[in-house]
Amino acid sequence: MSFSVIVPARLASTRLPNKPLADIAGLPMIVRVARRAALSGARQVVVATDSQEVLQACAEHQVKAVLTRADHASGSDRLAEACELLGLDGDDLVVNVQGDEPLIAPSMIDACAALLRDRPQCVMSTVAHALDDASEYANPNVVKLVTDAQGLALYFSRAPIPFWRDGAGAMQAGTALRHVGLYAYHAGFLRRFPTLALSPLEQIESLEQLRVLWHGEKIAVHVSTERPGPGVDTPEDLERVRALIAAQTR
């Protein structure tokens, strides 16, 4: 199976400015993400950024990168331009690894790509794992999702879903799934994605994958037995990841 990993990275994060360049044990976070992704079966790993600073940091650490426009509305829009810059064919598999996941499991990347290859009725695939922490279930920074009997996504939300009515909204063990910010697409769909009208749900939840569901397309979900390391959304997350990686390198 042949696929490319593209890592979108922009500096204009509201919760953690200059996030891709945040130092983690001597390396910019975006470099750590790219090196982690390179442990998967991907034939290439490319950072797609709107920042000359990120481009320079990648060059200094021998990470392939392309410079994209600064006006993209979403990471998927940025990936679409990157596909054009890289000359990818419409059928080529592309995995979007978020630039704030320096501890992403390489096996999850491989599984996400393989799932889309095996589900031709779907335009995308993604990853989730069982959620067993009530505080994460209630946390709007942790995206939850629900699937149907075929393992296709029904909905993604920052709200606690599914909502256990008889438990007064408490998390019911074994039912909640945490979404991992990992997606596979064919390059052809990525090019079509920016032409799809924004959906009200996407704008309310600030989750671009809801645009795909809104337009009636299907997203396959790989439910992993692994948990990725924590992502980095806030300064507190960054300190947690720094401590974990420092402990691994001792």
Side-chain angles (χ1 to χ4, degrees):
M1 177 179 60
S2 176
F3 66 93
S4 300
V5 166
I6 303 180
V7 186
R10 64 188 184 94
L11 289 183
S13 169
T14 54
R15 286 176 289 187
L16 188 59
N18 297 327
K19 183 163 66 169
L21 299 177
D23 181 88
I24 301 177
L27 288 174
M29 179 162 60
I30 192 64
V31 171
R32 286 203 171 271
V33 173
R35 289 186 176 180
R36 188 79 173 164
L39 297 175
S40 73
R43 65 180 177 86
Q44 63 176 342
V45 177
V46 184
V47 172
T49 183
D50 60 358
S51 163
Q52 287 286 352
E53 293 173 80
V54 172
L55 201 69
Q56 181 179 343
C58 289
E60 289 172 357
H61 295 281
Q62 294 76 54
V63 172
K64 186 175 181 179
V66 293
L67 188 65
T68 60
R69 301 198 322 268
D71 59 349
H72 288 303
S74 71
S76 296
D77 294 315
R78 192 174 311 286
L79 260 71
E81 183 185 358
C83 287
E84 295 288 348
L85 294 172
L86 294 168
L88 297 183
D89 291 334
D91 290 333
D92 284 346
L93 273 173
V94 176
V95 178
N96 175 356
V97 174
Q98 300 294 325
D100 55 8
E101 294 279 353
L103 294 172
I104 191 71
S107 59
M108 282 187 176
I109 298 173
D110 292 333
C112 190
L115 180 60
L116 184 58
R117 177 198 61 193
D118 296 340
R119 302 293 289 267
Q121 76 274 34
C122 298
V123 298
M124 286 173 57
S125 61
T126 191
V127 178
H129 65 78
L131 188 55
D132 53 15
D133 185 321
S135 64
E136 288 188 345
Y137 180 64
N139 185 347
N141 291 324
V142 175
V143 178
K144 281 71 66 176
L145 75 152
V146 289
T147 65
D148 66 12
Q150 283 73 48
L152 304 180
L154 289 171
Y155 193 65
F156 298 81
S157 183
R158 298 182 182 279
I161 58 172
F163 186 88
W164 186 18
R165 186 197 65 176
D166 294 338
M171 185 178 69
Q172 187 175 30
T175 61
L177 293 174
R178 177 195 174 206
H179 181 229
V180 178
L182 189 63
Y183 305 97
Y185 328 70
H186 291 289
F189 176 72
L190 266 174
R191 293 191 183 104
R192 183 160 65 89
F193 179 84
T195 70
L196 298 176
L198 293 175
S199 81
L201 296 175
E202 171 189 7
Q203 294 172 306
I204 291 168
E205 296 260 18
S206 192
L207 297 173
E208 64 189 73
Q209 61 269 37
L210 291 175
R211 189 188 317 181
V212 179
L213 298 183
W214 175 264
H215 287 280
E217 302 286 5
K218 294 180 172 61
I219 301 175
V221 181
H222 169 70
V223 179
S224 175
T225 56
E226 293 183 90
R227 289 184 64 117
V232 178
D233 287 313
T234 66
E236 294 77 18
D237 294 336
L238 179 59
E239 291 307 315
R240 188 179 309 119
V241 167
R242 281 172 170 163
L244 286 169
I245 289 180
Q248 291 173 1
T249 55
R250 282 178 191 148

